Amino acid sequence: MIKANLQLSKSDFKLEASFSVPGRGVTAVFGPSGCGKTTLLRAIAGLEPEVTGSLSVNTEQWLGANTRRPVEERRVGVVFQNPSLFPHLTVEENLLYGRKRLSKVTKPIELNKLIASLEIENLLRRYPEGLSGGEKQRVALGRALLAEPKLLLMDEPLSALDLSSREKLMLLLEKFLQEIDIPVFYVTHSSEEVARLADNLVLLANGLVTDHGSIADVLGEVDGELSRSDTAFSVIEGQIATTQLPGLISVDCGAGIVLQLPDSTSMPGIRYQPGSDVRLRIRARDVSLCLEKPQRSSILNILPAVIAQLAAEPYNGSRVVKLDMAGKQLLSKISEYSVQQLGLKKGQSVFAQIKSAALI
Amino acid sequence: MLSQPDIAALLITLKLAGTTTIILLLLGTPLAWWLATTRSRVRNAIEAVIALPLVLPPTVLGFYLLLAFSPDGPIGATTSALGLPSMAFSFWGLVLGSAIYSLPFVVQPLQNSFTSLGRMPLEVAATLGAGPLDRFISVVLPLSKMGYLTAAVLGFAHTLGEFGVVLMIGGNIPGETQVLSIAIYDHVEALEYSQAHWLAAGLLLSSFLVLLMIYSANRRFHLMKIT
């Protein structure tokens, strides 16, 4: 477990972060810009000297009433928003900076294997100056991992990159972060990144943790901050189906649920091999409800569902409805007017029309 | 060409400038680091004190040093209590005077260099397991090369050219405290213009070359910012 109860007061900002998440997997720290995500990450790393409270990472106490472990003894790997390679060292020297300082190398991370999977083998003798943003971030990630961190912190590592290197690094992270056996905190304001990477979620607003837990639990809270916001979304996992319709990608989500998406892929063949695991992000505002199955609709995905829960009260004229589709959870955000008109109630059978879903 | 006393003056000047520069780099490093990182309120006052030699006439500094070196002065009383020779009219007196006189020329480039590093590289190094001293040696020093070169050259060159302080506390003893600038003055007083020329033109040329070196190195290092 990673348990945190951190307080920090700055002149114009207050952080009050209390949460606990499993000590493995990827925990996304999600919230709008300026809500204190980076400050929270810095506090966990030990880079904010004025922070008080307690912090324990698995078996180790990093901060407590009488303990304050200095940064260099926390063994925390950080990938900062802006690439932060040492300009006076080559890529290889950068990679080994932290590893050289380990008292002993316990996990024999294979250097060559890591370098190969980060696709930086051709850069080793170069200096950071001439590298692209994506290359720098991959080197920074490798450098952090080679120091055998007990916790890996990533602060919007994609935000300083252009679109294509962002997508490339994202694909790498998806594979990578699941493989390494190190808990990861991943700060982002992008719901796509959350949906693609996160197992757990810590929601932050105005310096306050508003919710935390597994991604399904947090996303499924119809009265939570996230559900009320415009970015409310659900994540459904599935596999690329073996039979495809022309111009469409079919995703088999199990239990007879097959979702169809327009094939707008820019990189065919990379991720859409039949049978490969994918996640779908479906925005709550893209899901509408019908009492009867519509005929001859342009909407591709119309699926039977049962209303599992309605938000206790409407918010800004809309209400979030949690649906159960054969065990899969789906959020829908519809107007309060429609809720009253259709007389929607818990336990009712409806048809969910999914206007669009993003394969992520 | 150069006479025997002129060569002695040249050697003393080089020794004085070299010794002063080394001492200033050693003392200036922690001082500049403190100034670059502290949030203390006394920082402004300390910065002002360090910058004083930039604006004060060197004779003012020399005058007070001379008073301090006198047997009743704080430095003179200390040296005589320790059984050491008086610092007035001695080489080490000149070193002390030069160190104070050239302090801002060493501390300010170092401080600027440390400040421009920002906290980022240090934080990265800390997360990678480097302790404070390790961080300084492995990150700050190599990234401050240009600052050190500038500080060393400016400190050295400024000490080369000092006149007023040396005149007040050095006593112009040939072979002991007579430095180049004073030797030139003596030659001019004695109307030995050709000897004055040799020394003066040599000083002018070497100062120009040193500054040229800094500026071209500065341009070359300019691109090397944290990336």
Side-chain angles (χ1 to χ4, degrees):
Chain A
M1 289 293 275
I2 296 168
K3 286 187 203 160
N5 182 5
L6 302 168
Q7 294 90 37
L8 179 65
S9 281
K10 289 187 174 183
S11 52
D12 54 348
F13 178 77
K14 225 174 145 186
L15 180 74
E16 282 268 357
S18 183
F19 61 89
S20 64
V21 291
R24 57 195 316 278
V26 179
T27 299
V29 180
F30 182 67
S33 298
C35 68
K37 302 188 293 288
T38 296
T39 308
L40 173 60
L41 212 66
R42 291 176 55 82
I44 294 172
L47 293 170
E48 293 287 345
E50 272 127 53
V51 75
T52 56
S54 64
L55 172 66
S56 62
V57 172
N58 292 329
T59 53
E60 293 180 356
Q61 182 90 13
W62 284 5
L63 182 68
N66 302 312
T67 43
R68 178 179 293 269
R69 191 180 282 210
V71 190
E72 60 266 26
E73 288 165 30
R74 291 190 184 197
R75 304 257 312 265
V76 44
V78 186
V79 178
F80 290 91
Q81 186 167 3
N82 295 307
S84 53
L85 302 179
F86 299 121
H88 61 296
L89 301 179
T90 62
V91 166
E92 186 169 22
E93 288 164 337
N94 264 288
L95 284 170
L96 294 176
Y97 186 93
R99 194 171 186 80
K100 276 198 304 201
R101 284 164 174 79
L102 284 174
S103 49
K104 65 171 195 247
V105 176
T106 45
K107 274 187 257 168
I109 295 183
E110 278 183 51
L111 189 63
N112 293 334
K113 209 174 135 193
L114 181 80
I115 289 170
S117 55
L118 291 172
E119 297 169 27
I120 51 177
E121 55 270 71
N122 297 328
L123 310 175
L124 296 178
R125 309 234 171 283
R126 288 173 57 185
Y127 282 89
E129 201 181 79
L131 305 188
S132 74
E135 288 168 337
K136 284 180 192 167
Q137 284 301 54
R138 279 178 291 165
V139 175
L141 176 61
R143 178 177 66 179
L145 288 176
L146 283 171
E148 300 189 349
K150 304 228 161 102
L151 177 64
L152 180 63
L153 305 175
M154 306 185 82
D155 186 6
E156 308 210 27
L158 306 178
S159 65
L161 305 181
D162 61 63
L163 212 61
S164 70
S165 35
R166 187 180 298 188
E167 180 56 27
K168 197 171 164 212
L169 187 56
M170 189 71 201
L171 289 170
L172 194 128
L173 287 180
E174 275 181 307
K175 197 163 69 103
F176 217 75
L177 297 184
Q178 296 302 326
E179 280 172 14
I180 56 172
D181 192 23
I182 299 167
V184 181
F185 270 65
Y186 188 100
V187 159
T188 180
H189 66 265
S190 146
S191 60
E192 184 191 336
E193 288 172 30
V194 171
R196 284 172 74 163
L197 297 172
D199 304 307
N200 310 302
L201 200 51
V202 171
L203 289 186
L204 211 55
N206 295 322
L208 222 72
V209 170
T210 51
D211 207 347
H212 62 96
S214 78
I215 185 158
D217 287 352
V218 176
L219 291 181
E221 254 174 61
V222 289
D223 291 304
E225 284 290 328
L226 187 62
S227 298
R228 287 181 167 186
S229 77
D230 273 347
T231 47
F233 63 95
S234 325
V235 173
I236 291 185
E237 295 180 349
Q239 290 179 333
I240 302 290
T242 43
T243 53
Q244 303 282 340
L245 297 169
L248 294 177
I249 296 173
S250 305
V251 178
D252 187 347
C253 304
I257 303 169
V258 179
L259 293 172
Q260 310 288 350
L261 307 154
D263 187 356
S264 59
T265 170
S266 54
M267 276 176 292
I270 296 184
R271 294 163 55 224
Y272 302 134
Q273 296 293 342
S276 59
D277 291 325
V278 288
R279 280 176 159 189
L280 292 167
R281 178 191 49 164
I282 301 169
R283 292 182 199 278
R285 61 167 186 243
D286 289 338
V287 178
S288 58
L289 301 179
C290 311
L291 294 182
E292 285 154 30
K293 183 163 187 177
Q295 301 298 317
R296 304 172 67 113
S297 167
S298 70
I299 291 184
L300 291 167
N301 301 298
I302 301 173
L303 296 158
V306 176
I307 294 178
Q309 195 183 356
L310 286 142
E313 51 189 41
Y315 183 78
N316 282 351
S318 303
R319 207 193 279 246
V320 175
V321 179
K322 181 156 80 176
L323 304 166
D324 182 303
M325 292 193 310
K328 304 271 174 185
Q329 172 185 300
L330 184 67
L331 289 187
S332 162
K333 191 181 240 178
I334 50 178
S335 68
E336 175 62 9
Y337 178 81
S338 303
V339 173
Q340 300 303 336
Q341 280 292 305
L342 300 176
L344 297 180
K345 283 188 285 296
K346 187 179 170 178
Q348 194 171 358
S349 290
V350 292
F351 286 89
Q353 297 194 102
I354 302 172
K355 193 172 162 211
S356 75
L359 193 57
I360 49 180
Chain B
M1 279 288 283
L2 296 182
S3 65
Q4 196 59 41
D6 284 346
I7 291 172
L10 175 66
L11 291 178
I12 285 173
T13 306
L14 292 177
K15 187 174 148 200
L16 176 65
T19 313
T20 305
T21 305
I22 290 168
I23 290 175
L24 279 181
L25 287 178
L26 291 177
L27 294 180
T29 295
L31 184 57
W33 182 253
W34 180 79
L35 288 171
T37 52
T38 187
R39 286 184 207 164
S40 164
R41 278 191 205 146
V42 298
R43 190 184 80 174
N44 292 344
I46 304 280
E47 278 180 320
V49 169
I50 291 171
L52 268 182
L54 291 175
V55 294
L56 274 186
T59 41
V60 172
L61 185 61
F63 172 64
Y64 282 114
L65 275 173
L66 197 61
L67 289 187
F69 288 162
S70 75
D72 302 329
I75 297 173
T78 312
T79 50
S80 70
L82 293 169
L84 297 169
S86 166
M87 287 184 86
F89 316 120
S90 76
F91 177 76
W92 289 102
L94 287 190
V95 170
L96 180 65
S98 308
I100 295 172
Y101 179 58
S102 297
L103 186 64
F105 290 84
V106 172
V107 169
Q108 289 184 352
L110 291 182
Q111 187 186 341
N112 289 339
S113 176
F114 294 155
T115 307
S116 70
L117 272 187
R119 59 184 186 179
M120 186 69 152
L122 287 163
E123 289 184 348
V124 173
T127 64
L128 291 166
L133 188 64
D134 186 359
R135 294 200 283 272
F136 190 81
I137 293 170
S138 67
V139 176
V140 177
L141 282 185
L143 289 178
S144 306
K145 256 188 248 164
M146 203 47 231
Y148 273 93
L149 181 65
T150 310
V153 169
L154 287 182
F156 189 88
H158 190 243
T159 309
L160 278 188
E162 103 177 56
F163 182 80
V165 179
V166 183
L167 199 66
M168 295 295 277
I169 63 174
N172 197 9
I173 306 165
E176 206 170 319
T177 60
Q178 189 185 55
V179 297
L180 271 186
S181 56
I182 292 181
I184 294 171
Y185 182 75
D186 284 354
H187 284 311
V188 173
E189 289 271 271
L191 301 174
E192 299 160 348
Y193 279 17
S194 77
Q195 265 137 318
H197 262 314
W198 274 109
L199 293 179
L203 211 53
L204 187 71
L205 189 68
S206 57
S207 301
F208 170 73
L209 289 177
V210 158
L211 289 177
L212 184 69
M213 189 181 85
I214 302 192
Y215 280 108
S216 42
N218 226 335
R219 188 126 312 134
R220 203 146 37 81
F221 278 83
H222 191 67
L223 294 168
M224 206 159 140
K225 293 263 164 61
I226 187 89
T227 49

